[in-house]
Amino acid sequence: PLVFRELVSMTAEGTATRKRVSIERFKDSPGAQEFIKELCGPQARLLVTDKKGNSATVEVAHEKLFESWPKLKKWIDERRDALRMKQQVESAARQWAESGHQMSHLWRHERLEPVYEMLERLEITDLDEPLNSFVRKEANRLLEELRDAETTHYRRAEIGDRLAQIG
C-alpha cells in the first residue's frame, strides 16, 4: 500500500491519476524499494523511474494500470475518498507553509478529525513536514500557546473557551 498510496493522485471527480514521486520518499522502507525495483523490471514494466541530476523519481507507467489490475483497482475504489482527502490536506499544508505558518491557515479540531481517520485508513504513520505540523492536534497547539509567557490574558481566555468547546 505504501508505494501506490504515494503514486496515486485523485482528480476532483474522483478519477485515479498517476503522480511522480521522489525515490527518496521510500528510503526508509526496504520493502517498498524492492517492490519498486520488481515493478520497474523488464518482466513487469509497471512502474518507471527517471533521474535528472541528483533527483530520481518513480511513477506508474500508464494510468490504465489503475483499472486493469483488479487488486489495485479494488484498493483504490475502497480508499477513493481517503486518497482525495490526503491530497487536499497535503495542498493545505503546503499553502500554510508558504504563508509563513500563519495560525489562521491551520485547520480546527472539527476539520482535523476526519484527517486522522484518513491517516489511519491509509496506514500513514510517517508524515513529512510541513504535513506533520499542519495536522497537529489543535488542543496541543493551544496548550503550547498557553505555556508561552507572552500570551495575553484575553488570548488565554479565548484558548480556555476553545479547549472547553473541543472537549
Side-chain angles (χ1 to χ4, degrees):
L2 167 65
V3 173
F4 285 108
R5 182 182 73 212
E6 298 301 321
L7 298 180
V8 174
S9 182
M10 302 302 285
T11 66
E13 298 78 31
T15 304
T17 62
R18 62 186 172 171
K19 180 172 129 186
R20 182 177 294 151
V21 177
S22 171
I23 293 277
E24 190 72 13
R25 177 71 181 98
F26 306 103
K27 71 178 187 236
D28 295 331
S29 176
Q33 292 173 9
E34 185 61 32
F35 184 72
I36 290 169
K37 186 177 175 183
E38 286 293 319
L39 293 184
C40 285
Q43 298 296 324
R45 294 188 198 166
L46 299 174
L47 301 179
V48 292
T49 58
D50 189 21
K51 185 168 183 173
K52 291 187 177 147
N54 293 336
S55 178
T57 60
V58 61
E59 68 181 309
V60 173
H62 199 285
E63 290 174 351
K64 284 284 187 194
L65 182 64
F66 299 142
E67 293 296 319
S68 62
W69 187 354
K71 189 173 184 177
L72 179 58
K73 181 181 181 340
K74 182 179 181 204
W75 183 87
I76 291 170
D77 287 344
E78 290 173 350
R79 291 161 182 81
R80 191 168 305 279
D81 291 339
L83 290 165
R84 194 176 321 165
M85 179 180 285
K86 176 181 178 284
Q87 204 166 303
Q88 291 169 349
V89 174
E90 289 170 342
S91 176
R94 279 191 304 276
Q95 290 172 2
W96 170 68
E98 290 167 3
S99 79
H101 300 102
Q102 291 183 22
M103 296 291 282
S104 61
H105 284 70
L106 290 171
W107 289 3
R108 295 171 62 105
H109 169 80
E110 295 81 3
R111 193 159 181 200
L112 286 171
E113 284 299 304
V115 172
Y116 304 138
E117 292 171 21
M118 173 272 297
L119 294 172
E120 187 175 316
R121 175 96 173 109
L122 294 177
E123 301 174 33
I124 299 174
T125 57
D126 57 332
L127 298 175
D128 291 336
E129 289 300 331
L131 188 58
N132 189 51
S133 295
F134 183 78
V135 301
R136 191 168 160 226
K137 291 189 180 284
E138 181 185 11
N140 292 345
R141 295 189 318 247
L142 293 172
L143 289 170
E144 186 175 296
E145 195 175 344
L146 276 176
R147 287 187 209 101
D148 184 350
E150 305 218 357
T151 301
T152 66
H153 177 71
Y154 180 76
R155 178 65 183 143
R156 289 175 185 279
E158 285 179 328
I159 291 171
D161 290 344
R162 180 63 185 150
L163 288 171
Q165 199 175 30
I166 292 171

